[in-house]
Amino acid sequence: MNNNIPHLLHVFPSFGRGGIPIQISHAINYFGDQARHTIISTNDDYGAKEVLNAELDVSFPNLDHLAEGGLLKRLKNYQRYLKDTKPDALLSYNWGAIEWVLANSFSPKIYNLHSEHGFGPDEADKTLLRRDLFRRFSLRNTETVLVPSLNLENIALNTWHIPKEKIVYIPNGVDIAKFEKNEPSFIIPGFQKQTDETIIGTIAPLALKKILAA
């Protein structure tokens, strides 16, 4: 273990083979040995670890004991863990990591980058008031809140009351140049693009929970 490089603590609701864990895994691989990482999955699903470069300094501690008991006990457990491990930054993802955000919001605290990428089925139509209030209080001292859509930016600004200067909007997208070729390497049988047509394609699960992230 190299203690001279930044230590990043990631808290996911799940580190299964899904969108955000896969994206973060590729980012970790890209930056290589510039940081060491601790990854916590609150549901104990670590399926995305298969995407990570096995040579990198990434640990997956079993912290189930910290999640035992009521809310106040869990917050104390998380705060104690943060104090003992002293990571350089806490990277939290979505509602399932919000208790860690709250635990870190009290002094002394570490830098927190919180990412919100969408909602579950129970918030597909609208956000829940109790969760809005919980997020508002938990995120009050968070340095940066990352969102991938203008809808989420509006919710963070006007519902969770996050100051605009703390919100970073990074839209989802595709590196078009990476796929730009004069002769495509794949052809869909029977497909013929007309000169006056604009074709938009996507490969993704169409999940109800993605509605508010659009």
Side-chain angles (χ1 to χ4, degrees), residues 84-199:
D84 291 343
T85 57
K86 296 181 176 64
D88 293 286
L90 168 65
L91 284 71
S92 49
Y93 306 87
N94 293 325
W95 168 253
I98 202 69
E99 288 186 3
W100 282 83
V101 176
L102 178 56
N104 182 59
S105 68
F106 303 99
S107 181
K109 67 183 299 295
I110 62 175
Y111 179 90
N112 179 210
L113 168 60
H114 181 71
S115 300
E116 282 284 350
H117 289 266
F119 304 94
D122 50 355
E123 292 187 280
D125 295 322
K126 63 178 181 179
T127 58
L128 300 175
L129 177 60
R130 59 183 176 81
R131 290 191 179 183
D132 286 335
L133 295 176
F134 200 98
R135 285 186 178 98
R136 185 185 303 178
F137 184 68
S138 301
L139 294 167
R140 71 194 188 283
N141 291 330
T142 296
E143 285 79 4
T144 304
V145 176
L146 176 64
V147 295
S149 76
L150 293 176
N151 191 24
L152 280 167
E153 182 182 42
N154 178 64
I155 291 172
L157 183 64
N158 297 307
T159 302
W160 304 336
H161 295 183
I162 308 299
K164 188 173 182 60
E165 62 270 17
K166 290 187 176 184
I167 302 173
V168 177
Y169 166 54
I170 302 179
N172 290 322
V174 176
D175 184 357
I176 298 177
K178 183 177 180 180
F179 299 94
E180 199 172 61
K181 294 181 179 180
N182 293 328
E183 293 295 332
S185 58
F186 61 91
I187 297 294
I188 300 175
F191 173 78
Q192 181 64 48
K193 182 183 181 301
Q194 304 301 315
T195 56
D196 59 345
E197 288 182 330
T198 298
I199 306 300

Side-chain angles (χ1 to χ4, degrees), residues 36-48:
R36 60 188 180 94
H37 306 265
T38 297
I39 294 178
I40 298 170
S41 174
T42 60
N43 73 344
D44 291 327
D45 185 347
Y46 290 94

Side-chain angles (χ1 to χ4, degrees), residues 46-59:
Y46 290 94
K49 68 188 298 183
E50 299 174 359
V51 180
L52 292 166
N53 183 341
E55 297 180 359
L56 297 180
D57 189 350
V58 184
S59 61

Side-chain angles (χ1 to χ4, degrees), residues 1-7 36 57 85-86 88:
M1 179 185 297
N2 185 350
N3 293 320
N4 295 322
I5 61 175
H7 175 206
R36 60 188 180 94
D57 189 350
T85 57
K86 296 181 176 64
D88 293 286

